[in-house]
Structures are given as structure tokens and as C-alpha cells.
Amino acid sequence: MNKIKVGLIGFSIGGHVFHAPFINGNPDLELYKVTARKPEQQLLLAERYPEAIGVLSAEEIIADPEVDLVVVATSNDVHFSLAKSALEAGKHVVVEKPFTNTTMEADELIVLAQSKGLLLSVHHNARFHSDFKTVKKVVSSGRLGRLVNYEARYDRFRNFLRPGAWREEDLPGSGIHYDLGAHLIDQALQLFGQPETVFADLRVQRDGAKAIDDFELILSYPRLKVSLKGQMLAKAATPRYSLFGMNGTFIKEGVDPQEALLRDGAMPHRIGNWGQEDETSFGKLSLLENGAEVAELVPSEVGSGQDFYANIAAVLNGEEELLVKPEQARDVIRILELAERSAVEQRIISLKGELIS
């Protein structure tokens, strides 16, 4: 069977850390062409993927009849235009999250892909992180009883601005709510489905900052509050997940180990214990069960970022159903849009766009 030839648009952090290693490690995929404009990107591409062809423009990938699948791993402002061009050229497309900057753009791409019978997916890779997979296991176990509060955080510390970083500019799709919040929203939707209302507090806190660098979103469900938070001024580590139920609490600290390894240049298919957390990061379950106090560590599930591209290849080969559907990614964008409106108007907003209070 011929390999699926992949054209990767973007070889900065997103492309060379989160996409290329998993594409290269999949036996059904071939990292065929990659945009590498900067000299350092060209050197890195030649060093790690010598068989891949480096090009200077996205057009060289989209116009190539040999390319089967286009991966858009660029700044958010061109996700829509590049994905649209690739679909119009008859290519299957994977877009880095966030999908697009608006729901309208997302819907247009979904309709276009459907009309041409093409695969369209979004790289919501945090579904495959060890910490979230563990949380999902705990929720599904039912041991917490009825869940009343779910808190998830993406906290980092950088008290300075990166010169020239597009995420730090006041542009559509910039700010950490679109970057990190998109992960948390997608995870919440996977666990609990669509909320009834959205309330958001979005702030610019660092000196000289232009883009959102602190966010809190509250998604309301019947008898359940979901709090999604992120900031850039958390010097001390905070719990990644805190779950509170009628029977007790689950606290998960530590982070999925995959990103750190990828940033160091690790190749997932060459590491036998890929995605395994250290025991020091195991979550803590505290329960009252049958009148007895229970405290135990919950071994973490194994992170499996490779599952995303394994599914993409299997879908294109007619073997599986798509895991990350574009409609799901569109729903994330819809909540981000409502969150921005909520923050500006300081109101709770229903998912129908109606003001609640």
C-alpha cells in the first residue's frame, strides 16, 4: 500500500514539535514536503527529516499533485485561508487548533470539505495527554459520585513578552484563551457535552502585554460547574485538574510528559515507554466510601499523541471513524466567541447567544 504523502505547512514550534515527529513515526504516512523559510528551520529539517523536501511557500505544497494530506501548523490568522485553499485543491486537511478564528469560518470549511468528500480534522492533541486520559478514567468510574465542580488549568510563568511573537499581539485568534483555553474547552466538551451557559473573565495582566494572558471560563451544566483557567504569572505549580463530587475529590498535579520530550527532539516511535508519567505525578483520590475514608493514588494513563495521526491514516485507508470531527472543533470556537462577548459585556450568555444576566 502506498504511503499517504503529507505536506506540512509551518515548521516553527507547532510544526517541528507537535506534528512532524508523529507524522514521521507513522508507517502509513510520509513527511513529503515541509515549508521551512528560515535558515534555522531548513537546517533542522535537513538534520531530522533528510528525505523531506523543504519549500518556501504554502502554495508549493497545495499545488503539488503528489500531496494527499495538507497539515496547517501556522499562526491562527491564516488557518482558514490555507485550509480553504488546500480543500479547494482537493487535499485532505488537518488544521492545528484553534480550528479558525470564527464559527462562520469553521462552518464554511466544514461545508467545503463535505462537498468534496475530503477529510477535515483539527489537531486537538490534548485529548491524548496522560493527565486528561486519567481524568476521563476517573470520571467514567463513577467513584466520585455526582460531580459538582470540575476545574482544569493551564498555568505557566513568563513575566516578560517574547519579541515578534504573534500570540502576544492584539490580533484575531491571539491570546492564551485561544491557545490553551481551546484545549480545555475541547476536553470539557468531550467529558460533559455542550454547556447551557458561558461566563468569562479575560484579562491582560503583564506589563506591556497586548493579548489576553489570563482567562477564566465558567461553563454551566445542570448541577455541574466547569471552571477552565489559565495564566502566565503562576510561578508555583498549580493542580492541572481538580474534581469535586458527592463522594470525594480527585486532584491531578504534574503535566503530561510528551511535550517536554518532543521539544528536546525525541522521536516517539523510538521510545519504548513513550507517554508514561512518573509515579510522583499520579493523581490523588480522596473518598468516603461505605462510611470509610479512602485515600489512594491513581496510576496515570499512558499519553498517546501518536493516536491522532494513527486515526487520520486509518480514516483515509477506510478503516476507522474520525476521532476529532470538525464539528467538534467548531463548537470550541463557538464557546470562545461567546466567552469574548461575555467578557466584554460582563454577562452570562447562553449557547444560543441569549443574555442570561
Side-chain angles (χ1 to χ4, degrees):
M1 185 180 296
N2 294 330
K3 288 191 175 185
I4 298 161
K5 291 189 175 182
V6 181
L8 174 58
I9 301 175
F11 201 61
S12 58
I13 293 297
H16 81 73
V17 171
F18 298 110
H19 290 273
F22 292 118
I23 295 169
N24 183 63
N26 188 290
D28 294 321
L29 302 176
E30 175 187 347
L31 188 61
Y32 172 64
K33 273 190 175 180
V34 180
T35 58
R37 297 187 179 93
K38 298 178 181 179
E40 60 269 26
Q41 293 175 345
Q42 295 166 358
L43 288 172
L44 185 63
L45 180 64
E47 175 188 337
R48 294 187 181 177
Y49 311 102
E51 296 180 357
I53 301 170
V55 297
L56 298 177
S57 70
E59 290 71 23
E60 293 176 79
I61 287 176
I62 293 173
D64 189 338
E66 292 293 311
V67 173
D68 303 301
L69 170 67
V70 170
V71 176
V72 178
T74 61
S75 57
N76 299 352
D77 59 324
V78 291
H79 281 189
F80 170 73
S81 59
L82 289 174
K84 182 178 180 180
S85 295
L87 290 168
E88 289 176 336
K91 312 297 185 185
H92 303 291
V93 174
V94 165
V95 186
E96 180 54 62
K97 64 82 211 158
F99 187 7
T100 54
N101 291 333
T102 69
T103 304
M104 186 178 298
E105 290 176 341
D107 283 334
E108 183 175 339
L109 293 181
I110 290 169
V111 170
L112 179 58
Q114 290 174 342
S115 70
K116 290 181 169 289
L118 296 168
L119 177 147
L120 174 62
S121 187
V122 179
H123 191 234
H124 275 295
N125 60 319
R127 294 188 190 184
F128 309 102
H129 287 178
S130 56
D131 45 17
F132 176 66
K133 291 175 70 174
T134 305
V135 165
K136 191 174 181 180
K137 178 180 69 173
V138 170
V139 170
S140 63
S141 75
R143 293 185 69 190
L144 289 172
R146 179 172 62 83
L147 203 63
V148 296
N149 285 316
Y150 169 94
E151 298 178 3
R153 308 185 67 106
Y154 256 122
D155 289 340
R156 294 178 176 176
F157 183 79
R158 194 175 76 244
N159 61 359
F160 60 91
L161 307 180
R162 286 180 176 165
W166 63 264
R167 287 186 177 87
E168 308 261 37
E169 297 297 324
D170 185 16
L171 298 170
S174 65
I176 66 170
H177 60 313
Y178 264 79
D179 182 25
L180 303 176
H183 280 311
L184 300 181
I185 294 168
D186 180 68
Q187 291 177 343
L189 296 183
Q190 288 300 297
L191 289 173
F192 310 117
Q194 293 285 336
E196 294 182 339
T197 65
V198 176
F199 178 77
D201 183 305
L202 307 178
R203 298 175 183 251
V204 179
Q205 294 188 326
R206 291 172 298 169
D207 295 338
K210 300 176 183 178
I212 300 299
D213 58 9
D214 178 277
F215 69 87
E216 180 174 2
L217 276 61
I218 296 179
L219 310 183
S220 292
Y221 296 80
R223 308 181 81 189
L224 168 66
K225 181 176 78 172
V226 170
S227 301
L228 310 177
K229 306 176 184 181
Q231 62 174 312
M232 295 300 294
L233 292 174
K235 188 67 174 70
T238 55
R240 285 282 290 113
Y241 299 91
S242 302
L243 281 65
F244 305 90
M246 293 296 293
N247 296 343
T249 302
F250 177 70
I251 304 296
K252 178 69 178 72
E253 298 180 346
V255 296
D256 175 271
Q258 295 176 94
E259 180 173 340
L261 292 169
L262 291 167
R263 285 180 179 270
D264 286 341
M267 294 295 175
H269 58 291
R270 296 175 183 167
I271 298 178
N273 62 343
W274 180 261
Q276 291 185 1
E277 285 190 16
D278 187 82
E279 291 184 8
T280 57
S281 293
F282 286 179
K284 298 177 177 63
L285 194 61
S286 301
L287 300 174
L288 181 63
E289 285 187 328
N290 301 318
E293 297 285 345
V294 176
E296 61 185 63
L297 293 178
V298 178
S300 295
E301 297 292 284
V302 177
S304 55
Q306 65 273 16
D307 287 354
F308 177 84
Y309 276 108
N311 174 249
I312 294 296
V315 172
L316 292 178
N317 287 326
E319 299 167 352
E320 292 182 8
E321 181 181 346
L322 189 62
L323 288 178
V324 184
K325 298 176 173 60
E327 293 84 1
Q328 297 170 338
R330 182 267 321 278
D331 291 343
V332 172
I333 302 303
R334 176 60 173 156
I335 289 178
L336 283 167
E337 285 185 311
L338 294 177
E340 291 197 326
R341 181 184 171 191
S342 170
V344 169
E345 300 179 2
Q346 297 186 8
R347 295 176 182 267
I348 298 171
I349 300 179
S350 79
L351 247 64
K352 298 177 181 179
E354 302 166 345
L355 300 181
I356 302 299
S357 64

